[in-house]
Amino acid sequence: MKSKIISLIVVFTSLQSMAQEKEPGMKTLGKAIVDKFPTTRTFDVQYEQLGPSNYDSKLFGDRFERGRIESHSRFKAAFNMPFYASKSKKLVLTTSLRYKYENYSFGDIYNYNTTQTYTRGTEDFHYWAGAVSATYMSSLFKKPVIYNATVSVDGNEDSFQRLKGFASAIIVLKRTPSTTITVGALALLDPSSIVPVTPLFTLNHKFKDSKWDMDFILPQRLLFRRELMENGRISFGTELNSESFYLDLKTPDLNGVYELNQLELKSGITYEYCFTPKIIAFVKAGVNNVVSTRITEKGERTNKYVYDHKEDAQGYVRVGVSYNLFQRK
């Protein structure tokens, strides 16, 4: 699931440069992509603060710790830039860079094995990723088709960790002034992926005689949105987000490089404001439900985890600002 969500964003990143194509339909499609995902714009910065929550964990299937996360914050920065486009604009090469910093502060922790309660200091984690993507636009049965192949690398502050890749094909089944529907498939070239090929589906629909529209992306989001005054927009709904970073562990039970994968279901409200056609800011707030938190050996499938924990729902606030070099009035 984590790889699928990240891969969708990388595909959409490549499509933003095609928004400059002269064909009106493709220009509309490209604008829709960068409108949905701030991280696909030329430069994007976000900060998120999550509220306190209690957790209960297992190590190798046995009860391990229960405790409290008093504070959890994230800082993210993303950069995307096409560096080659064919004369026809049907082939585009794009590079993407991402950085994330996570900070945890803990309260009291109880260990089931030692029956002792103790405290843990603040913990910081750094994560980076880079990708090169090739996107080719064609047609099939007189409908637009987007093919993509991407190679990515990621790691932590210590070193490079993994090389990954994927390929996808997406066809625009329907595009009218009120409705856009796309379907496709994604092949993941990653040994840690549980399912090597997954389906893709998106639906955007503007309701008749209404300022509201619905934005559905499988499996990432369901949002209901409307314009608010001249330069603002408000959204309500639920989004599935994935977070990951690497851990260098040196304990009697775990020794080596491991990967933490967390799936979060965020429900709430978003307000976006357009300062200029190129600069957009947003604020999100709501409830964050942690679907799963698992630690695996580096490169192992997430169903072969060594550690997992359950976590209470928590409040969250996220703010961000992005700049899109290619945005036009």
Side-chain angles (χ1 to χ4, degrees):
M1 182 70 71
K2 175 198 70 171
S3 298
K4 184 191 297 184
I5 296 172
I6 294 175
S7 301
L8 277 170
I9 293 176
V10 175
V11 171
F12 294 153
T13 299
S14 301
L15 287 176
Q16 70 172 314
S17 59
M18 294 186 174
Q20 309 309 307
E21 194 173 354
K22 293 181 180 180
E23 183 183 347
M26 291 306 153
K27 186 173 182 179
T28 301
L29 179 62
K31 284 185 176 180
I33 298 306
V34 296
D35 181 60
K36 295 173 188 287
F37 296 95
T39 56
T40 66
R41 298 166 190 159
T42 308
F43 187 69
D44 178 69
V45 176
Q46 300 183 16
Y47 175 81
E48 181 177 23
Q49 181 66 53
L50 298 104
S53 66
N54 298 314
Y55 72 92
D56 201 320
S57 66
K58 292 183 178 181
L59 183 64
F60 300 112
D62 297 323
R63 301 191 78 177
F64 178 53
E65 290 179 345
R66 71 169 186 262
R68 184 172 177 83
I69 301 173
E70 295 289 356
S71 177
H72 180 191
S73 62
R74 295 186 181 114
F75 170 81
K76 297 180 180 181
F79 172 78
N80 308 284
M81 181 62 68
F83 61 91
Y84 172 80
S86 63
K87 291 183 179 180
S88 64
K89 296 296 181 72
K90 289 186 176 182
L91 174 65
V92 174
L93 303 182
T94 305
T95 184
S96 301
L97 299 173
R98 278 166 174 70
Y99 168 77
K100 179 175 66 171
Y101 168 76
E102 300 219 27
N103 176 271
Y104 291 82
S105 295
F106 294 89
D108 290 338
I109 298 172
Y110 174 79
N111 188 293
Y112 288 103
N113 295 322
T114 63
T115 66
Q116 293 182 342
T117 299
Y118 52 88
T119 59
R120 179 177 294 153
T122 299
E123 295 190 356
D124 304 309
F125 302 96
H126 301 266
Y127 174 84
W128 61 264
V132 175
S133 180
T135 304
Y136 181 74
M137 192 167 291
S138 183
S139 62
L140 183 65
F141 306 120
K142 297 182 179 180
K143 296 184 180 297
V145 181
I146 304 100
Y147 302 96
N148 179 274
T150 296
V151 176
S152 67
V153 296
D154 64 5
N156 57 9
E157 67 272 25
D158 294 323
S159 64
F160 154 81
Q161 297 296 345
R162 296 187 62 202
L163 174 68
K164 307 171 188 176
F166 73 90
S168 66
I170 300 172
I171 183 170
V172 182
L173 289 183
K174 181 178 181 179
R175 186 172 61 245
T176 69
S178 62
T179 304
T180 301
I181 299 174
T182 72
V183 297
L186 177 72
L188 296 167
L189 309 176
D190 182 356
S192 68
S193 175
I194 298 175
V195 180
V197 179
T198 57
L200 305 174
F201 176 81
T202 73
L203 167 64
N204 180 268
H205 178 72
K206 297 183 183 297
F207 297 102
K208 186 177 180 181
D209 300 325
S210 174
K211 295 182 179 180
W212 290 91
D213 73 271
M214 180 187 71
D215 189 34
F216 175 63
I217 300 176
L218 183 71
Q220 202 265 340
R221 67 168 59 170
L222 175 61
L223 293 179
F224 294 91
R225 310 180 303 186
R226 64 160 292 168
E227 303 299 320
L228 189 64
M229 296 182 288
E230 184 177 359
N231 297 318
R233 183 172 65 181
I234 192 168
S235 307
F236 301 90
T238 299
E239 298 179 85
L240 182 64
N241 294 327
S242 66
E243 302 292 343
S244 66
F245 52 82
Y246 292 99
L247 302 164
D248 292 320
L249 301 178
K250 293 178 175 60
T251 70
D253 296 311
L254 302 175
N255 188 17
V257 179
Y258 294 80
E259 187 174 3
L260 182 144
N261 297 294
Q262 184 164 295
L263 280 177
E264 301 173 346
L265 197 63
K266 285 181 159 63
S267 301
I269 183 173
T270 302
Y271 176 71
E272 300 165 273
Y273 186 81
C274 182
F275 291 97
T276 74
K278 296 179 183 293
I279 301 175
I280 301 174
F282 75 84
V283 58
K284 295 173 177 276
V287 177
N288 181 62
N289 289 280
V290 178
V291 179
S292 69
T293 300
R294 293 176 174 179
I295 294 177
T296 63
E297 291 187 41
K298 185 180 72 172
E300 281 287 354
R301 296 182 178 182
T302 53
N303 62 345
K304 295 183 178 180
Y305 55 89
V306 297
Y307 169 97
D308 73 310
H309 81 228
K310 306 297 182 183
E311 192 171 324
D312 293 343
Q314 58 198 148
Y316 80 94
V317 175
R318 183 192 296 178
V319 295
V321 61
S322 59
Y323 172 78
N324 190 25
L325 177 65
F326 302 102
Q327 184 64 44
R328 296 178 180 177
K329 292 183 179 181

